[in-house]
Amino acid sequence: MSVDSPVELDDFGSLVDLAVQRILVSDDVAATKYRSGAPVEDLLRERQVLAEAGRRAAQMGLDREFAIRFFRSQIDASKVVQRGMLARWQAHPEEAPSTPPDLQSIRERLDELTDQLLEQLRSTQVTRRHTSLCRTRLHEARVPVAAVHHLDALHRRALDLATEWICSAD
């Protein structure tokens, strides 16, 4: 759960909040790529992240393939944000960050969020197997979390993508 969140969140709210936090880290990832000229696509890093998420999920008793699908959607959501931010900064260079954030700190934060997201996936596992209940709970969680974080259209679109697999049976 976000430290500054004034909303009390249940397990689904916490799961959505963590997904939003991961999406917001994508702004920093975009800043490092803007300053370095690196491409949005980093297939080697993606494979590493997905393999590690699948390994950790299996250790926790979660379905490995579900976890990989879920984290693939997290990566895809991040790319949506990165591309959107890069396009914004190319159109308005005066809004671009002047110094890139530290890439190692970003990766450490993403690793923390991966662990927390896996814990929340485990906490919501039983409810997520009941598709209609899961969708209701997910919708009820998304609205206040998106509001608390003041998500713009780009980040809301990324949230849609990041949460698309939550209610699939694992």
Side-chain angles (χ1 to χ4, degrees):
M1 177 163 90
S2 179
V3 175
D4 60 353
S5 178
V7 178
E8 183 67 31
L9 300 176
D10 63 10
D11 286 343
F12 270 81
S14 294
L15 180 59
V16 172
D17 190 69
L18 289 166
V20 168
Q21 288 180 50
R22 193 179 193 292
I23 288 165
L24 294 174
V25 171
S26 300
D27 291 5
D28 289 337
V29 174
T32 65
K33 291 180 179 182
Y34 179 82
R35 300 308 304 169
S36 71
V40 169
E41 297 285 332
D42 186 347
L43 298 179
L44 175 61
R45 177 72 178 149
E46 291 176 29
R47 283 192 298 270
Q48 292 168 340
V49 168
L50 294 174
E52 181 64 13
R55 185 188 66 73
R56 289 181 190 172
Q59 287 177 336
M60 297 173 71
L62 292 168
D63 180 84
R64 180 182 178 282
E65 292 305 314
F66 167 78
I68 290 171
R69 274 195 323 268
F70 175 78
F71 281 98
R72 164 57 56 207
S73 68
Q74 303 310 297
I75 291 169
D76 291 347
S78 178
K79 289 183 200 179
V80 164
V81 170
Q82 290 176 52
R83 287 185 183 107
M85 297 304 292
L86 290 171
R88 183 180 302 167
W89 296 330
Q90 288 168 351
H92 303 282
E94 70 280 1
E95 295 177 13
S98 57
T99 58
D102 177 59
L103 185 57
Q104 184 59 34
S105 296
I106 292 169
R107 286 185 172 171
E108 288 171 6
R109 180 65 181 134
L110 289 172
D111 288 344
E112 290 172 13
L113 287 167
T114 295
D115 290 340
Q116 294 170 336
L117 282 161
L118 286 168
E119 283 295 331
Q120 286 310 120
L121 288 173
R122 184 166 57 180
S123 294
T124 58
Q125 192 169 16
V126 172
T127 304
R128 287 187 297 101
R129 288 188 179 129
H130 302 280
T131 306
S132 60
L133 175 60
C134 179
R135 288 185 180 146
T136 299
R137 299 280 307 279
L138 181 60
H139 176 74
E140 290 171 349
R142 288 168 45 101
V143 172
V145 170
V148 163
H149 288 284
H150 308 288
L151 298 184
D152 60 13
L154 173 66
H155 292 83
R156 283 193 312 271
R157 190 168 62 245
L159 180 59
D160 290 343
L161 191 55
T163 57
E164 73 179 344
W165 288 104
I166 288 176
C167 294
S168 65
D170 55 335

